[in-house]
Amino acid sequence: MSSVPDVADVLEVVAVPDVVGVLGGGRMGVGIAHAFLLAGSRAIILERDDAAAAHAREAFISALLKSVSRGTTNENADALRDRIDVTTDVSAFASAGLVVEAVPEDFALKSSMLQRVEAVLGDDAWLASNTSSLSIDDLAATLSRPERFCGLHFFNPVPSSTLVEIVRGEASLPSLIEAAQGWVEALGKTPITVKNSPGFASSRLGVVIAIEAIRMLEEGVASAEDIDAAMVLGYKFPVGPLRLTDLVGLDVRLGISEYLASTLGSRFEPPALLREKVAEGKLGRKSGEGFFVWADGEA
């Protein structure tokens, strides 16, 4: 006869770590830190220099104030501020139960920063990467404790996205994957778990749709607006593939596409139009123009 689990045991599974570190204070990093903050964690963001740290702090405080004003948290702004820190000192992660890496999609950069962070973590801390396509096994191979490492792929924008992709590496402990599923649910999001493979599930599917939409635009099949409308109205996509590429960043899409082409074949080869726009600095919403023109964050 099975016994009913103790309430404390259940809470232990689903609760977020007391202290969560986020490596990188860009849009994704701030979003991840914000999600854990609202779920009850103390959140620490590590940035490369004082200027970047100041920018990340401003974005983080702005996000938490919006949460207070919208009523998405029962805590007041002062209580939330007391649980955030933005620093350039990696030793601040020494108390973290979990650190999520969220630096740009460059293997050498991610690997070196993960090693730097791992060196200050406690033996019982967990480490994760927010990579959208790079191999979790290859990153794990550069670490001293690969069994305590997995992928936690959040989606942009983090606050409104309800999906987190958990990537299970060959060395990842089953207890880590179970804990990660609990963290994601505690954030109010839905976890999917995939084994390590190029592009995982989400990026592989998302990129193949996006690059075909870009090829159609390149070939003059239809306008960007009409291509997107076909998927939104015909297939119930919440946002069209070209608008979504603008939100993700054309440079990010290009990097993922190049990586998938190198690992999975020519069907992922980036269209010339994508390369041209990135070369021109038309990166999407963050630069003000991509496949659409953006003003004040809206196309």
Side-chain angles (χ1 to χ4, degrees):
M1 183 176 180
S2 61
S3 60
V4 177
D6 185 85
V7 173
D9 293 336
V10 174
L11 291 176
E12 185 177 355
V13 172
V14 301
V16 292
D18 291 339
V19 180
V20 173
V22 178
L23 177 58
R27 178 183 290 271
M28 287 300 298
V30 168
I32 294 167
H34 181 221
F36 278 102
L37 177 73
L38 294 189
S41 297
R42 172 175 169 77
I44 305 171
I45 293 176
L46 178 70
E47 261 295 358
R48 63 184 181 278
D49 54 41
D50 290 341
H55 185 270
R57 178 180 293 278
E58 181 180 350
F60 200 177
I61 291 175
S62 175
L64 71 85
L65 290 176
K66 286 179 182 177
S67 293
V68 172
S69 66
R70 291 171 179 169
T72 55
T73 175
N74 293 325
E75 295 188 83
N76 62 45
D78 289 339
L80 292 170
R81 276 199 190 95
D82 286 345
R83 297 208 314 276
I84 72 169
D85 189 17
V86 182
T87 181
T88 60
D89 183 3
V90 70
S91 67
F93 283 167
S95 62
L98 166 68
V99 172
V100 181
E101 167 272 310
V103 301
E105 288 288 287
D106 177 272
F107 183 87
L109 174 63
K110 286 183 181 291
S111 176
S112 64
M113 293 305 297
L114 284 166
Q115 291 175 59
R116 184 181 172 201
V117 169
E118 186 187 42
V120 306
L121 292 180
D123 291 342
D124 59 348
W126 304 108
L127 187 57
S129 174
N130 184 54
T131 180
S132 55
S133 63
L134 298 178
S135 170
I136 291 299
D137 288 338
D138 288 350
L139 289 170
T142 70
L143 300 174
S144 299
R145 300 191 294 274
E147 71 280 2
R148 303 195 69 82
F149 175 71
C150 72
L152 277 181
H153 178 205
F154 288 79
F155 290 77
N156 186 30
V158 176
S160 59
S161 174
T162 57
L163 175 68
V164 178
E165 189 173 39
I166 300 169
V167 186
R168 183 183 66 249
E170 285 290 334
S172 301
L173 286 170
S175 56
L176 168 57
I177 303 306
E178 182 181 359
Q181 291 167 342
W183 301 332
V184 172
E185 290 170 355
L187 298 179
K189 301 182 185 299
T190 300
I192 63 168
T193 303
V194 302
K195 75 172 186 177
N196 181 60
S197 62
F200 318 133
S202 60
S203 291
R204 186 165 170 176
L205 289 169
V207 167
V208 76
I209 293 170
I211 61 178
E212 189 59 31
I214 296 168
R215 289 193 185 105
M216 291 170 64
L217 183 63
E218 188 176 56
E219 295 165 5
V221 172
S223 67
E225 291 82 0
D226 285 351
I227 291 169
D228 274 7
M231 301 309 292
V232 172
L233 302 177
Y235 290 87
K236 305 304 181 185
F237 279 34
V239 62
L242 296 172
R243 187 176 295 267
L244 181 58
T245 297
D246 271 13
L247 292 171
V248 170
L250 275 69
D251 52 335
V252 175
R253 281 286 200 219
L254 176 59
I256 297 172
S257 182
E258 288 176 330
Y259 174 71
L260 293 179
S262 72
T263 54
L264 294 176
S266 59
R267 67 188 186 277
F268 289 98
E269 184 63 31
L273 178 59
L274 178 59
R275 294 189 184 279
E276 290 167 8
K277 283 189 174 288
V278 171
E280 293 168 357
K282 296 177 180 178
L283 308 181
R285 181 171 66 174
K286 61 188 173 185
S287 69
E289 183 177 353
F291 295 109
F292 298 90
V293 176
W294 297 78
D296 299 324
E298 298 295 332

